[in-house]
Amino acid sequence: MPNALCNVLVLLSGSGSNLQALIDSSHTEGSQVRVCGVIANRADAYGLQRAEAAGIATALLDHTGFDGREAFDTALMALIDGFRPDLVILAGFMRILSGDFVRHYQGRLLNIHPSLLPLYKGLHTHQRALDAGDTEHGCSVHFVTEELDGGPLVVQAVIPVEPGDTAQSLAQRVHHQEHQIYPLAVRWFAEGRLRLGDQGALLDGLPLPASGHLIRL
């Protein structure tokens, strides 16, 4: 969608720091990214306040009011589609999404995960990297598929694990890198450079490696 704004809908459950990074990036000259809406499943998600401060439309859909994941996801899809987004991104959205939901947004649904996928899918990634004695850690942006944290990789930021690192110190440094690579991946999509092909992620029409585009620090 070059030469046109790309409407991006953000799903979140918490503080929304990745949302803020995306908002800040979208304000740079020449950006084709427009955050068209933010939806949270928790009323106390600070990301809603970040969005409102930036003049972005918000909505709350509390998952506890639904009888099961499928019912919630059906309502969520209807709410999202009302914003008419070109791209949906998960920014700390603490829900496992149903297959119907993922298929509905196939090729236009991105997630960021705080590990070098395929390592450490799920939770507690920083402590698990330390427990394994890893010398490198990082974060990954990927297209979402029905496999949890398992879709084709777009970009990864790799940082060294420092002597004396704790899960907290590692998390802080990884978080900083999330704020760099997530807006980058969204920008690629908005510029028409990034898409999901039959065999995986494509950048400028060429297949990305299995590890995605690597950025080492």
Side-chain angles (χ1 to χ4, degrees), residues 4-10 22-23 25-28 30-36 87 89 182-191:
L5 287 177
C6 175
N7 287 316
V8 180
L9 187 288
V10 180
L22 184 62
I23 292 170
S25 174
S26 73
H27 290 161
T28 59
S31 173
Q32 294 171 224
V33 174
R34 173 181 176 265
V35 182
C36 65
L87 177 67
I89 73 166
Y182 216 0
L184 175 63
V186 172
R187 189 181 81 211
W188 285 344
F189 188 94
E191 293 172 350

Side-chain angles (χ1 to χ4, degrees), residues 19-201:
L19 165 67
Q20 190 64 57
L22 184 62
I23 292 170
D24 293 345
S25 174
S26 73
H27 290 161
T28 59
E29 185 176 355
S31 173
Q32 294 171 224
V33 174
R34 173 181 176 265
V35 182
C36 65
V38 173
I39 299 173
N41 65 317
R42 294 175 55 99
D44 61 352
Y46 184 65
L48 291 172
Q49 295 182 46
R50 293 183 190 268
E52 289 165 359
I56 297 167
T58 64
L60 172 66
L61 192 68
D62 188 343
H63 62 276
T64 62
F66 292 85
D67 184 17
R69 184 192 306 169
E70 285 74 15
F72 172 75
D73 282 5
T74 297
L76 181 58
M77 283 189 284
L79 185 57
I80 292 171
D81 289 348
F83 285 91
R84 302 175 64 85
D86 301 299
L87 177 67
V88 178
I89 73 166
L90 309 178
F93 189 60
M94 303 305 290
R95 296 283 301 166
I96 294 176
L97 299 165
S98 64
D100 284 347
F101 183 98
V102 171
R103 286 188 295 272
H104 184 68
Y105 297 105
Q106 183 174 1
R108 53 193 184 108
L109 183 61
L110 291 175
N111 182 45
I112 192 157
H113 184 73
S115 79
L116 296 175
L117 292 171
L119 294 175
Y120 314 128
K121 299 176 181 181
L123 302 175
H124 311 302
T125 59
H126 311 302
Q127 188 61 54
R128 289 158 69 190
L130 289 172
D131 291 345
D134 292 350
T135 59
E136 291 184 328
H137 189 44
C139 48
S140 310
V141 177
H142 65 96
F143 280 104
V144 177
T145 63
E146 292 181 61
E147 180 186 355
L148 179 65
D149 297 329
L153 289 164
V154 174
V155 57
Q156 294 188 315
V158 184
I159 64 169
V161 177
E162 307 284 359
D165 256 333
T166 64
Q168 290 73 27
S169 65
L170 204 51
Q172 186 173 16
R173 298 208 320 279
V174 168
H175 217 49
H176 177 73
Q177 296 310 316
E178 290 182 23
H179 299 163
Q180 312 305 310
I181 66 170
Y182 216 0
L184 175 63
V186 172
R187 189 181 81 211
W188 285 344
F189 188 94
E191 293 172 350
R193 298 179 59 195
L194 174 67
R195 67 183 181 87
L196 181 61
D198 292 338
Q199 304 301 319

